[in-house]
Amino acid sequence: MSRIGKKIIPIPKGVKIAVEPGAVEVQGPKGKLRQPLPEGIGFEVDGDQLHARTLRDDPDLGKFHGLARSLVANAVHGVTEGFKKELDIVGVGYRAELKGKQVHFALGYSHPVVFDIPQGIDVVVDKQTHITVTGIDRQAVGQVAANIRRLRKPDPYKQKGVRYTGEVLKKKAGKTGAK
């Protein structure tokens, strides 16, 4: 048994949960998510609580028990509050601009970089150097933020590039001139 899997998921008001074989469907004020489950894991709704359980006595199911519980808990959190990742653009002349469902970046390359925003994800650009990625699916929000960061990773020497807000970078010393 998994310690995480044993934890109870509280169901907030306004959230509807439909347990199906092999999946859990969560519907809330921000949207609807369907979370597939690993084989051998099931869920039970008990009033305003949700319990994860293993369907058979197999010691290998412990690792999937905690995983499934965490995925469904993230889905419940996503449809009620949503998830958010923030990024900062650091560098002279580096900026971003939102145009429809695309973000246009100037990141020091010879051409502007165009990033298409996927379905279900919202991107807000503040002051041309601060980007906020929001959505109900935790994995999708994190992946979009990582893809934006990958456009120009932070440089360890000059500290320029796209980084997560609050990310601490270790600055490297450059070459010293030969004498």
Side-chain angles (χ1 to χ4, degrees):
M1 278 284 207
S2 163
R3 288 186 200 162
I4 300 292
K6 290 180 189 176
K7 287 185 176 179
I8 295 169
I9 302 171
I11 302 172
K13 293 195 184 305
V15 174
K16 295 176 187 167
I17 295 189
V19 178
E20 304 165 5
V24 174
E25 200 165 285
V26 183
Q27 187 170 0
K30 289 194 176 261
K32 182 178 180 181
L33 284 175
R34 179 181 172 83
Q35 182 60 54
L37 299 175
E39 195 173 317
I41 304 295
F43 279 85
E44 291 177 347
V45 177
D46 181 27
D48 63 345
Q49 296 177 340
L50 191 61
H51 302 275
R53 60 183 176 89
T54 56
L55 300 177
R56 59 184 187 272
D57 290 332
D58 186 359
D60 291 337
L61 284 180
K63 54 190 168 191
F64 295 118
H65 188 212
L67 169 74
R69 187 254 174 221
S70 294
L71 292 174
V72 172
N74 286 339
V76 170
H77 184 273
V79 298
T80 53
E81 298 173 28
F83 291 98
K84 175 171 79 169
K85 287 272 189 180
E86 295 183 2
L87 299 114
D88 290 323
I89 302 172
V90 178
V92 176
Y94 288 17
R95 62 186 174 279
E97 184 180 2
L98 189 63
K99 293 182 181 176
K101 290 296 280 179
Q102 292 181 331
V103 183
H104 293 257
F105 291 95
L107 297 173
Y109 297 118
S110 62
H111 59 282
V113 179
V114 179
F115 183 82
D116 294 320
I117 302 170
Q119 187 85 21
I121 300 293
D122 294 324
V123 175
V124 177
V125 178
D126 302 326
K127 297 185 252 177
Q128 295 183 335
T129 59
H130 186 80
I131 301 167
T132 306
V133 181
T134 57
I136 62 172
D137 186 0
R138 182 177 187 169
Q139 191 273 334
V141 169
Q143 188 63 52
V144 168
N147 290 345
I148 291 173
R149 183 180 184 270
R150 194 181 314 149
L151 296 175
R152 177 67 109 178
K153 287 186 180 176
D155 176 36
Y157 297 101
K158 294 187 178 181
Q159 306 275 311
K160 299 187 325 184
V162 181
R163 66 175 83 162
Y164 296 113
T165 300
E167 181 179 5
V168 178
L169 300 174
K170 189 172 182 179
K171 187 171 172 111
K172 290 185 177 180
K175 290 183 181 179
T176 56
K179 293 184 180 181

